[in-house]
Amino acid sequence: MHAVTPFSRADTSLLGRWWWTVDRWMLTAVLLLMLVGAALALAASPAAAERIGLDSFHFARQQLLFLPVALLVMLGVSLMSRTGVQRIGVAGTALSIALLALTLVVGLELNGARRWLPLGGFLLQPSEFVKPCLAVFMAVILARSWEERLPYGKLFASVPAVLAAVLLVLQPDIGMATTVAAVWFVQMFVAGMPLVLAVLGGVATVGGLFFAYHHLAHVKSRIDQFIDPTTGDSYQVDTSLRAFEAGGLFGRGPGEGTVKSVLPDAHTDFIFAVAAEEFGVIACIVIVALFGFIVLRGFARTLRGGDLFSLIAVTGLLAQFGFQALINMGVAIRLLPAKGMTLPFLSYGGSSTMATAIGLGMVLALTRERRSGEGYAL
């Protein structure tokens, strides 16, 4: 028997060609992740909304609106050619860096940081969008400099990354700046980073963290609390760990958890703790496996293609996707210092959800099976 598919192999329409060239295994894993996110939005968001006097399903309704829109955005981007992805990367980098600068002037200040721009009834976080666009922009420059033997290509590709990192530090958002720096390093490494540049990058990163520790009180506090939890308020992480303990292997059951009622960021930074308490450690392992599968599947697909631009771009996009998930889950179980970072597609947040959709749409577009010989033209 043959599997039933919506398109025949003879279909030469845009959707027909997309269906037979896109990685359907990766697409399925992403869809499952979105479904998990929808379930967790219904589980964690009502308590958070009630604590601040909103309608119980305020956050849940918004997230359930974000996810279908994000799915359409991801599918739309995955239909694009390499040239289309490159154009999004270049234009998006310029726009998102401009918006990062704008947040320092007119951005809304919350918890001592200017990271959001009011946009109608929503808050836009430009730092989320700079990550996927910057990864593609750097890949364009690095691939062209290699193909055409252009001098100073790596230096030119580093300029927007440094600019974005500086603007993020000024917000301040050290965690996001560190993520941008890590993705820069990974992409440079794939593109053949000179040893001197690798050493300088490492020294600059260590120096930046040292400076942040000694000059930014919130960074020092979080690192000190990670090293010695008795030095400060570690309520959220302690509560998160108790949620894992209470959930056991199979969880208390949907809606039966209590952590969402006492943990301020249960619907955002600590959504993993809600999943652990209500659905158990087994469910958390499944979530980790989905993230791991998407990352490893993406790497495996792009390594088969032999396309330098796609290799560098997909490496950067998947690195930031994986780093973000790793940081969020690591904080929830006290493997990493506390850092406000969402879990892709699972945590509440429109900017994070849409930016993740754009990034994974780019990955799906660049890992599609294509004819050899496509160039890098913008």
Side-chain angles (χ1 to χ4, degrees), residues 224-245:
D224 287 343
Q225 289 175 32
F226 174 70
I227 297 173
D228 182 3
T230 63
T231 60
D233 181 13
S234 57
Y235 170 77
Q236 295 216 89
V237 177
D238 291 340
T239 305
S240 175
L241 291 174
R242 287 197 295 271
F244 277 85
E245 182 179 358

Side-chain angles (χ1 to χ4, degrees), residues 98-301:
L99 292 176
L100 279 179
L102 189 62
T103 58
L104 301 177
V105 181
V106 299
L108 181 65
E109 184 172 344
L110 294 174
N111 299 322
R114 289 185 179 273
R115 303 175 188 173
W116 299 270
L117 291 172
L119 187 65
F122 300 95
L123 294 178
L124 178 69
Q125 189 173 358
S127 59
E128 292 288 350
F129 295 94
V130 77
K131 294 181 300 179
C133 295
L134 183 59
V136 172
F137 176 80
M138 288 184 59
V140 171
I141 302 304
L142 292 171
R144 277 190 167 179
S145 65
W146 177 269
E147 293 286 324
E148 301 175 16
R149 300 294 189 267
L150 299 176
Y152 309 115
K154 292 184 176 62
L155 179 62
F156 181 54
S158 302
V159 171
V162 172
L163 180 57
V166 169
L167 291 172
L168 288 167
V169 169
L170 292 175
Q171 287 187 349
D173 192 345
I174 302 302
M176 198 70 78
T178 302
T179 301
V180 168
V183 173
W184 170 87
F185 185 88
V186 168
Q187 288 190 289
M188 286 292 182
F189 180 82
V190 172
M193 176 187 289
L195 181 60
V196 173
L197 190 58
V199 172
L200 289 176
V203 170
T205 301
V206 172
L209 292 174
F210 183 83
F211 177 86
Y213 178 81
H214 287 282
H215 293 84
L216 297 175
H218 72 285
V219 175
K220 176 176 171 52
S221 173
R222 289 177 176 180
I223 293 177
D224 287 343
Q225 289 175 32
F226 174 70
I227 297 173
D228 182 3
T230 63
T231 60
D233 181 13
S234 57
Y235 170 77
Q236 295 216 89
V237 177
D238 291 340
T239 305
S240 175
L241 291 174
R242 287 197 295 271
F244 277 85
E245 182 179 358
L249 284 177
F250 302 105
R252 290 181 166 182
E256 298 299 318
T258 60
V259 67
K260 59 195 177 188
S261 300
V262 297
L263 198 56
D265 295 328
H267 63 312
T268 54
D269 301 345
F270 287 91
I271 193 76
F272 200 48
V274 176
E277 186 181 26
E278 299 202 1
F279 302 101
V281 172
I282 298 297
C284 291
I285 292 173
V286 172
I287 291 172
V288 173
L290 284 174
F291 280 108
F293 177 83
I294 292 168
V295 172
L296 294 176
R297 179 76 179 182
F299 283 141
R301 290 275 295 194

